[in-house]
Amino acid sequence: MANDPERFDTMLLAMAQQHEGGVKDLLHTIVSFLSRKTDFFTGGKDGEWEKVVKDTFYAHATKAKEAADKIKKEKEEEAKRLKDIQAKKEKERLVQDFEPAKVLELTDQEADKMQADIDMERNKTKEVGSGDGGESSTEADKPTEEEDDDPKEKGKLKPNAGNGCDLEHYRWTQTLEEVELRVPLRQVLRPRDLTVVISKKHLKVGIKGQPLIIDGELDAEIKMEESTWVLQDGRNLLVNLEKVNKMNWWSRLVTTDPEISTKKINPEPSKLSDLDGETRGLVEKMMYDQRQKEMGLPTSDEQKKQDVLKKFMEQHPEMDFSKCKFN
């Protein structure tokens, strides 16, 4: 404890905070104390105090330099390891993306059989596409303007498997409660290399020093305190946005995106179990009423009114309802 160099740190830090001139002023105070209250400068031989000061300062200067050099070396080694990892991953990605095609040699008999199979498959596709008025798989993925007569649906895209949209630079999906955004970065980055600003009605996403990938007004308001983002494997940005209105489907992530047809959204029934009781009840009611309307049948609210009226008529048989008109 007696040799612990840190035992006076609290006291010295308190002193340092009171010297606006920094270390120079602090040293002046300490040397002044030695001069006024001790015989440091006069109690020894001539030049002895200079040797003590010099030896003490040089000893601590050497320790400080060694510590600084150690930290610098560790940072350089860490940077080199990170660079090697990035180079290795980039090489693996390039090998995977540009792997040369393998050439398989066929005999004349095998080639003729393969061509016959291709022709047969092509003819089947044509029959499906034109013989029964159906669409090919490529045509089925076109915007819903060819599928719907509703002019409001013209030009809108078909939702992806996650009820969102796959765009050039990112992909987003949604449930009634949240929106999930995935942005492939195509390089290894650190969180501090990214710009992610989540506001109540605005979203900014990009790499620092480059044009923003997303900078636009969101389709609806979100809960900022419940929305998060994380960098996965240094190459993929994942953003989760918590919806304020949990009863509406988004038609786009930001207003500059192409719209999807929310009429084509088909939520998985299993996902209803993830909702809280009140929200699940409302969603099930909405789905039931939608099916009833499509079949020309009364909705749940209309059915309740009819049941109340029927019960009232049964309880009052003496009353004549034959001339009554009910909506």
Side-chain angles (χ1 to χ4, degrees), residues 176-177 244-249 272 275-291 300-301 304:
L176 280 171
E177 293 188 319
V244 171
N245 186 344
K246 300 182 184 297
M247 298 304 298
N248 284 348
W249 296 104
L272 290 174
L275 304 176
D276 59 78
E278 182 180 357
T279 305
R280 178 177 177 179
L282 289 172
V283 173
E284 290 176 340
K285 180 178 180 297
M286 289 172 57
M287 295 172 66
Y288 173 81
D289 290 344
Q290 183 65 31
R291 288 194 298 268
S300 56
D301 291 336
K304 285 181 181 179

Side-chain angles (χ1 to χ4, degrees), residues 170 181 183 202-206 211-216 253-254 257:
Y170 55 90
L181 167 67
V183 184
H202 199 95
L203 177 65
K204 289 184 179 180
V205 172
L212 289 171
I213 299 172
I214 301 173
D215 182 10
L253 178 67
V254 291
D257 286 347

Side-chain angles (χ1 to χ4, degrees), residues 133-158 261 264:
E135 294 182 335
S136 67
S137 58
T138 303
E139 293 171 342
D141 292 333
K142 288 183 179 179
T144 56
E145 60 180 335
E146 297 181 5
E147 301 173 356
D148 295 314
D149 296 329
D150 188 350
K152 294 181 180 180
E153 294 298 307
K154 287 187 177 181
K156 293 185 178 180
L157 304 176
K158 183 178 179 181
S261 174
K264 298 295 180 180

Side-chain angles (χ1 to χ4, degrees), residues 25-26 40 46 101 139 165 187 227 262 290 302:
D25 282 0
L26 178 62
F40 177 74
D46 289 343
E139 293 171 342
C165 190
Q187 56 183 304
S227 300
T262 54
Q290 183 65 31
E302 293 169 346

Side-chain angles (χ1 to χ4, degrees), residues 110-147:
E110 290 173 334
D112 291 340
K113 184 178 184 301
M114 180 178 288
Q115 186 61 49
D117 292 339
I118 293 172
D119 293 340
M120 184 181 297
E121 188 66 28
R122 186 179 298 165
N123 291 333
K124 286 182 180 179
T125 303
K126 288 182 180 179
E127 291 174 3
V128 172
S130 59
D132 56 2
E135 294 182 335
S136 67
S137 58
T138 303
E139 293 171 342
D141 292 333
K142 288 183 179 179
T144 56
E145 60 180 335
E146 297 181 5
E147 301 173 356

Side-chain angles (χ1 to χ4, degrees), residues 201-258:
K201 197 74 193 302
H202 199 95
L203 177 65
K204 289 184 179 180
V205 172
I207 301 173
K208 290 181 180 178
Q210 299 182 20
L212 289 171
I213 299 172
I214 301 173
D215 182 10
E217 185 177 351
L218 294 167
D219 193 58
E221 292 185 356
I222 59 149
K223 295 181 180 179
M224 293 171 53
E225 64 279 3
E226 300 295 333
S227 300
T228 59
W229 67 273
V230 64
L231 182 61
Q232 297 180 326
D233 302 325
R235 300 180 67 93
N236 294 284
L237 173 63
L238 175 62
V239 182
N240 285 95
L241 305 175
E242 187 81 10
K243 294 181 180 179
V244 171
N245 186 344
K246 300 182 184 297
M247 298 304 298
N248 284 348
W249 296 104
W250 287 16
S251 62
R252 53 196 171 184
L253 178 67
V254 291
T255 53
T256 52
D257 286 347

